[in-house]
Amino acid sequence: MTREEIIAKVNSVLAEEFEVEESAITPEANVKNTLALDSLSLVDLVALIQYTYKIKIPAEDLPKIQTFKDLYDYIESHL
Amino acid sequence: MVDELLCVNGDEATCQLTIRQDNFFIDEDGLMAEPGLIEHIAQSASAFAGYRAFEAGATEPPVGYIGEVKNFHLYKRPNVGDILTTTITMGPEVEGITIIRGETKCGDDTIADTQMKIFVKP
Amino acid sequence: MFLENNFYKILSEEKQDMSGTYKVAILPDCNVYDGHFPGDPVCPGVCNIETIKECAIKLIGHDLRIQSIKQCRLTAIATPKVCPEVTISVNATPKDDSYIVVATIADDKQSYMEFKGTLA
């Protein structure tokens, strides 16, 4: 899976699940703010990424994922 | 609302409940009300979380609250005396909130299923 | 309607077409608090769901069952002490032979529950 494919898939899957415009998802944007995540929906993000890419995101790795670029990097390095 | 934790297999566990006459959720028509199924599934998940906590050396069972119910479906309301068998699938946990899936059968019939978030008080 | 005058009591009802506002007292002596939790009464989320359903039954005027819940979020912990009185707002939209019910439970301090489900 190329990086472009990862970015395209992440943006569409997140835009649909969290009901935001794909245009709002830019590499430097903050994930929590853009998707309006609170303590209840943060776990949905983890579940969705783990399910979509069949990877595990341990709780201690979460602080590393602030922007969407961090998220793309994380997925790419754990595929 | 849970009699037994029957078996545990990785992220999946099976629990059982025999519905008694004095169950809080028996409605005026003698059948269990829908929220009773939700509470039974939530407590099955808490029993599974409690089992895992004990396995990891905890001494007190964790107190669990329902944080969210999502895509709950009720297919059939059970009767007093029915035996419910519920399968819980434990999903990811983030900051104390765990996603679980639950499916309850009565005999061969699936009578309810749902996704839920349980907040376990540290 | 097994929770009325057991877990809650209706204080006032305002109906307008398919929307209703119910002022509800949370009854501290309900026996659900014997187990949930001993010495620390906390409203079980499922009792708040049943209370919403029973208000919807009053609004629509005939018996209803919860067929499905799309999403129900518990946004704050409700207890007889924290919120002895709450306002339940219920809105019902007919769809085929069921109703899409959207409801909230709140008081002047905060919101405790947001519910969206199908009743029939």
Side-chain angles (χ1 to χ4, degrees):
Chain A
M1 214 179 201
T2 69
R3 186 177 174 83
E4 283 59 39
E5 281 164 346
I6 291 174
I7 292 176
K9 190 160 176 65
V10 167
N11 292 2
S12 78
V13 161
L14 294 185
E16 195 202 330
E17 167 77 15
F18 296 101
E19 291 162 358
V20 297
E21 289 303 322
E22 270 197 51
S23 53
I25 300 178
T26 59
E28 296 318 320
N30 177 280
V31 174
K32 273 191 188 173
N33 299 343
T34 307
L35 305 179
L37 298 181
D38 59 15
S39 57
L40 270 178
S41 47
L42 181 58
V43 67
D44 286 318
L45 173 68
V46 171
L48 194 59
I49 298 298
Q50 288 190 164
Y51 175 75
T52 307
Y53 295 98
K54 302 293 179 255
I55 60 173
K56 275 274 178 216
I57 306 179
E60 56 273 13
D61 281 359
L62 271 176
K64 297 181 200 155
I65 302 173
Q66 295 299 323
T67 67
F68 286 99
K69 180 181 174 308
D70 300 334
L71 180 57
Y72 305 143
D73 295 345
Y74 189 91
I75 294 171
E76 200 177 17
S77 60
H78 285 76
L79 273 185
Chain B
M1 294 283 293
V2 175
D3 292 336
E4 269 178 77
L5 179 60
L6 291 180
C7 74
V8 173
N9 176 0
D11 284 339
E12 240 186 55
T14 306
C15 294
Q16 201 160 64
L17 170 72
T18 302
I19 300 178
R20 278 176 289 280
Q21 182 62 39
D22 62 357
N23 185 295
F24 182 80
F25 292 100
I26 298 303
D27 210 332
E28 286 145 353
D29 61 2
L31 300 176
M32 176 172 269
E34 310 85 283
L37 274 309
I38 299 172
E39 184 65 15
H40 163 63
I41 292 172
Q43 288 196 15
S44 299
S46 296
F48 186 15
Y51 168 87
R52 279 181 145 177
F54 278 127
E55 284 288 289
T59 49
E60 287 293 318
V63 170
Y65 297 95
I66 295 175
E68 180 181 76
V69 176
K70 217 170 178 180
N71 300 329
F72 165 76
H73 297 97
L74 182 91
Y75 305 107
K76 183 168 169 284
R77 289 170 52 220
N79 233 308
V80 172
D82 283 350
I83 296 172
L84 306 185
T85 306
T86 294
T87 306
I88 298 293
T89 308
M90 203 68 94
E93 184 253 323
V94 172
E95 289 170 11
I97 293 186
T98 304
I99 288 186
I100 68 119
R101 265 203 63 69
E103 180 181 355
T104 299
K105 285 182 183 276
C106 186
D108 297 330
D109 307 333
T110 295
I111 64 169
D113 56 35
T114 189
Q115 182 197 314
M116 209 183 274
K117 282 172 199 154
I118 308 282
F119 169 62
V120 181
K121 224 165 141 182
Chain C
M1 301 295 280
F2 68 105
L3 286 190
E4 189 170 16
N5 301 319
N6 170 16
F7 174 75
Y8 72 90
K9 191 175 64 177
I10 299 274
L11 299 174
S12 73
E13 175 184 32
E14 272 167 58
K15 276 208 257 191
Q16 225 228 330
D17 318 328
M18 296 307 273
S19 293
T21 305
Y22 297 83
K23 282 233 173 326
V24 164
I26 304 289
L27 303 175
D29 304 331
C30 177
N31 60 5
V32 79
Y33 297 118
D34 300 346
H36 194 284
F37 299 93
D40 173 25
V42 172
C43 298
V46 290
C47 287
N48 294 346
I49 291 174
E50 175 68 17
T51 302
I52 283 176
K53 170 189 144 188
E54 294 186 6
C55 288
I57 289 172
K58 282 182 185 297
L59 174 66
I60 293 165
H62 58 75
D63 192 32
L64 291 164
R65 294 281 151 199
I66 295 174
Q67 256 184 4
S68 63
I69 297 175
K70 185 154 183 359
Q71 183 175 47
C72 176
R73 301 186 102 215
L74 285 83
T75 44
I77 293 178
T79 81
K81 288 196 189 68
V82 166
C83 51
E85 226 181 85
V86 289
T87 300
I88 300 183
S89 314
V90 186
N91 182 281
T93 311
K95 179 168 181 283
D96 310 330
D97 49 13
S98 57
Y99 294 88
I100 306 291
V101 171
V102 175
T104 60
I105 298 180
D107 62 10
D108 44 24
K109 295 190 293 286
Q110 56 190 336
S111 156
Y112 299 93
M113 178 171 278
E114 298 153 4
F115 174 92
K116 182 171 185 184
T118 303
L119 275 64

